[in-house]
Short mmCIF file of all heavy atoms in Angstrom, two decimals:
data_model
loop_
_atom_site.label_atom_id
_atom_site.label_comp_id
_atom_site.label_asym_id
_atom_site.label_seq_id
_atom_site.Cartn_x
_atom_site.Cartn_y
_atom_site.Cartn_z
N ASP A 1 0.15 12.56 -28.52
CA ASP A 1 0.87 11.68 -27.54
C ASP A 1 0.82 12.12 -26.11
O ASP A 1 1.20 11.48 -25.22
CB ASP A 1 2.37 11.54 -28.01
CG ASP A 1 2.58 10.90 -29.31
OD1 ASP A 1 1.84 9.89 -29.58
OD2 ASP A 1 3.39 11.32 -30.06
N THR A 2 0.22 13.35 -25.97
CA THR A 2 0.09 13.94 -24.59
C THR A 2 -0.81 13.04 -23.79
O THR A 2 -1.94 12.69 -24.16
CB THR A 2 -0.52 15.30 -24.64
OG1 THR A 2 0.48 16.19 -25.32
CG2 THR A 2 -0.74 15.85 -23.25
N ALA A 3 -0.30 12.56 -22.63
CA ALA A 3 -1.01 11.65 -21.68
C ALA A 3 -0.18 11.45 -20.52
O ALA A 3 1.00 11.79 -20.43
CB ALA A 3 -1.32 10.37 -22.47
N ILE A 4 -0.80 10.68 -19.55
CA ILE A 4 -0.07 10.17 -18.46
C ILE A 4 0.40 8.76 -18.89
O ILE A 4 -0.50 7.98 -19.31
CB ILE A 4 -0.89 10.08 -17.20
CG1 ILE A 4 -1.29 11.48 -16.71
CG2 ILE A 4 -0.08 9.41 -16.03
CD1 ILE A 4 -2.22 11.54 -15.54
N TYR A 5 1.64 8.47 -18.77
CA TYR A 5 2.19 7.20 -19.18
C TYR A 5 2.47 6.39 -17.98
O TYR A 5 3.11 6.79 -17.04
CB TYR A 5 3.48 7.43 -20.02
CG TYR A 5 3.24 7.85 -21.40
CD1 TYR A 5 2.76 9.14 -21.66
CD2 TYR A 5 3.47 7.03 -22.48
CE1 TYR A 5 2.47 9.57 -22.96
CE2 TYR A 5 3.23 7.45 -23.79
CZ TYR A 5 2.69 8.73 -23.98
OH TYR A 5 2.43 9.16 -25.30
N TYR A 6 1.93 5.12 -18.04
CA TYR A 6 2.08 4.20 -16.92
C TYR A 6 2.89 2.99 -17.29
O TYR A 6 2.68 2.43 -18.32
CB TYR A 6 0.66 3.69 -16.42
CG TYR A 6 -0.23 4.76 -15.95
CD1 TYR A 6 -1.14 5.49 -16.79
CD2 TYR A 6 -0.25 5.09 -14.57
CE1 TYR A 6 -1.94 6.44 -16.34
CE2 TYR A 6 -1.11 6.09 -14.08
CZ TYR A 6 -1.98 6.75 -15.00
OH TYR A 6 -2.81 7.73 -14.49
N CYS A 7 3.77 2.64 -16.41
CA CYS A 7 4.52 1.42 -16.53
C CYS A 7 3.69 0.27 -16.01
O CYS A 7 2.94 0.42 -14.98
CB CYS A 7 5.84 1.52 -15.78
SG CYS A 7 6.92 0.09 -15.83
N ASN A 8 3.84 -0.88 -16.65
CA ASN A 8 2.97 -2.06 -16.31
C ASN A 8 3.90 -3.28 -16.23
O ASN A 8 4.75 -3.48 -17.13
CB ASN A 8 1.88 -2.26 -17.30
CG ASN A 8 1.13 -3.58 -17.06
OD1 ASN A 8 1.41 -4.55 -17.59
ND2 ASN A 8 0.05 -3.44 -16.22
N TYR A 9 3.63 -4.10 -15.20
CA TYR A 9 4.36 -5.38 -15.08
C TYR A 9 3.31 -6.47 -14.95
O TYR A 9 2.36 -6.37 -14.19
CB TYR A 9 5.20 -5.39 -13.79
CG TYR A 9 5.75 -6.76 -13.31
CD1 TYR A 9 6.96 -7.16 -13.68
CD2 TYR A 9 4.94 -7.53 -12.55
CE1 TYR A 9 7.44 -8.39 -13.29
CE2 TYR A 9 5.38 -8.76 -12.14
CZ TYR A 9 6.67 -9.21 -12.50
OH TYR A 9 7.09 -10.42 -12.03
N ARG A 10 3.47 -7.50 -15.81
CA ARG A 10 2.52 -8.64 -15.72
C ARG A 10 3.31 -9.98 -15.66
O ARG A 10 4.31 -10.16 -16.37
CB ARG A 10 1.67 -8.67 -16.97
CG ARG A 10 0.58 -7.64 -17.00
CD ARG A 10 -0.35 -7.83 -18.16
NE ARG A 10 0.28 -7.54 -19.46
CZ ARG A 10 0.50 -8.51 -20.38
NH1 ARG A 10 0.15 -9.74 -20.29
NH2 ARG A 10 1.06 -8.15 -21.54
N SER A 11 2.86 -10.86 -14.80
CA SER A 11 3.39 -12.24 -14.77
C SER A 11 2.31 -13.10 -14.22
O SER A 11 1.24 -12.65 -13.91
CB SER A 11 4.61 -12.33 -13.88
OG SER A 11 4.30 -12.30 -12.52
N ILE A 12 2.56 -14.38 -14.14
CA ILE A 12 1.53 -15.28 -13.56
C ILE A 12 1.28 -15.03 -12.12
O ILE A 12 0.31 -15.46 -11.53
CB ILE A 12 1.95 -16.76 -13.75
CG1 ILE A 12 3.23 -17.10 -13.03
CG2 ILE A 12 2.01 -17.16 -15.25
CD1 ILE A 12 3.52 -18.58 -12.96
N LYS A 13 2.15 -14.19 -11.50
CA LYS A 13 2.01 -13.90 -10.06
C LYS A 13 1.15 -12.67 -9.87
O LYS A 13 0.70 -12.34 -8.77
CB LYS A 13 3.42 -13.60 -9.48
CG LYS A 13 4.29 -14.83 -9.50
CD LYS A 13 3.86 -15.94 -8.64
CE LYS A 13 4.87 -17.04 -8.56
NZ LYS A 13 4.43 -18.17 -7.69
N GLY A 14 0.86 -11.89 -11.00
CA GLY A 14 0.02 -10.71 -10.79
C GLY A 14 0.39 -9.58 -11.74
O GLY A 14 1.34 -9.73 -12.59
N THR A 15 -0.37 -8.50 -11.65
CA THR A 15 -0.20 -7.35 -12.47
C THR A 15 0.01 -6.13 -11.59
O THR A 15 -0.74 -5.94 -10.58
CB THR A 15 -1.42 -7.11 -13.34
OG1 THR A 15 -1.52 -8.23 -14.25
CG2 THR A 15 -1.27 -5.84 -14.22
N TYR A 16 0.93 -5.24 -11.89
CA TYR A 16 1.23 -4.12 -11.14
C TYR A 16 1.41 -2.88 -12.04
O TYR A 16 1.81 -2.99 -13.19
CB TYR A 16 2.55 -4.29 -10.29
CG TYR A 16 2.44 -5.44 -9.31
CD1 TYR A 16 2.73 -6.73 -9.73
CD2 TYR A 16 2.00 -5.24 -8.03
CE1 TYR A 16 2.60 -7.78 -8.82
CE2 TYR A 16 1.88 -6.29 -7.11
CZ TYR A 16 2.21 -7.57 -7.50
OH TYR A 16 2.09 -8.58 -6.61
N TRP A 17 1.15 -1.72 -11.46
CA TRP A 17 1.24 -0.45 -12.23
C TRP A 17 2.13 0.51 -11.50
O TRP A 17 2.20 0.57 -10.22
CB TRP A 17 -0.13 0.22 -12.31
CG TRP A 17 -1.10 -0.59 -13.16
CD1 TRP A 17 -2.02 -1.58 -12.73
CD2 TRP A 17 -1.31 -0.52 -14.60
NE1 TRP A 17 -2.71 -2.08 -13.84
CE2 TRP A 17 -2.29 -1.40 -14.95
CE3 TRP A 17 -0.73 0.26 -15.56
CZ2 TRP A 17 -2.71 -1.59 -16.30
CZ3 TRP A 17 -1.11 0.13 -16.90
CH2 TRP A 17 -2.12 -0.82 -17.25
N GLY A 18 2.80 1.30 -12.28
CA GLY A 18 3.50 2.49 -11.72
C GLY A 18 2.58 3.60 -11.43
O GLY A 18 1.38 3.57 -11.68
N GLN A 19 3.18 4.66 -10.88
CA GLN A 19 2.31 5.82 -10.46
C GLN A 19 1.96 6.75 -11.61
O GLN A 19 1.04 7.58 -11.52
CB GLN A 19 3.00 6.65 -9.38
CG GLN A 19 4.09 7.55 -9.86
CD GLN A 19 5.42 6.87 -10.22
OE1 GLN A 19 5.55 5.62 -10.12
NE2 GLN A 19 6.37 7.66 -10.63
N GLY A 20 2.61 6.57 -12.71
CA GLY A 20 2.40 7.38 -13.90
C GLY A 20 3.32 8.58 -14.02
O GLY A 20 3.75 9.16 -12.99
N THR A 21 3.60 8.98 -15.21
CA THR A 21 4.43 10.14 -15.48
C THR A 21 3.86 10.91 -16.61
O THR A 21 3.40 10.34 -17.68
CB THR A 21 5.92 9.74 -15.77
OG1 THR A 21 6.73 10.92 -15.94
CG2 THR A 21 6.07 8.91 -17.05
N GLN A 22 3.77 12.25 -16.43
CA GLN A 22 3.03 13.07 -17.47
C GLN A 22 3.98 13.34 -18.62
O GLN A 22 5.12 13.73 -18.47
CB GLN A 22 2.62 14.38 -16.84
CG GLN A 22 1.96 15.34 -17.74
CD GLN A 22 0.59 14.95 -18.22
OE1 GLN A 22 -0.22 14.51 -17.35
NE2 GLN A 22 0.34 15.00 -19.54
N VAL A 23 3.45 13.20 -19.81
CA VAL A 23 4.13 13.57 -21.05
C VAL A 23 3.22 14.58 -21.77
O VAL A 23 2.07 14.28 -22.03
CB VAL A 23 4.41 12.37 -21.92
CG1 VAL A 23 4.91 12.83 -23.35
CG2 VAL A 23 5.46 11.38 -21.33
N THR A 24 3.76 15.74 -22.00
CA THR A 24 3.03 16.79 -22.66
C THR A 24 3.77 17.23 -23.91
O THR A 24 4.97 17.59 -23.84
CB THR A 24 2.80 18.00 -21.74
OG1 THR A 24 2.13 17.58 -20.61
CG2 THR A 24 1.99 19.10 -22.42
N VAL A 25 3.19 17.21 -25.05
CA VAL A 25 3.74 17.57 -26.32
C VAL A 25 3.02 18.80 -26.84
O VAL A 25 1.83 18.80 -27.08
CB VAL A 25 3.69 16.44 -27.36
CG1 VAL A 25 4.40 16.85 -28.62
CG2 VAL A 25 4.26 15.16 -26.77
#
């Protein structure tokens, strides 16, 4: 599961991403 996790928002108006947060297991 170790990875950079990104938040994502999608609508008919567009798609946006967060800056990412590191998760290390």
Side-chain angles (χ1 to χ4, degrees):
D1 294 319
T2 295
I4 299 174
Y5 284 69
Y6 295 91
C7 180
N8 173 269
Y9 165 96
R10 287 186 291 115
S11 77
I12 61 171
K13 299 293 188 179
T15 299
Y16 299 87
W17 294 92
Q19 78 284 0
T21 185
Q22 178 70 47
V23 171
T24 302
V25 183

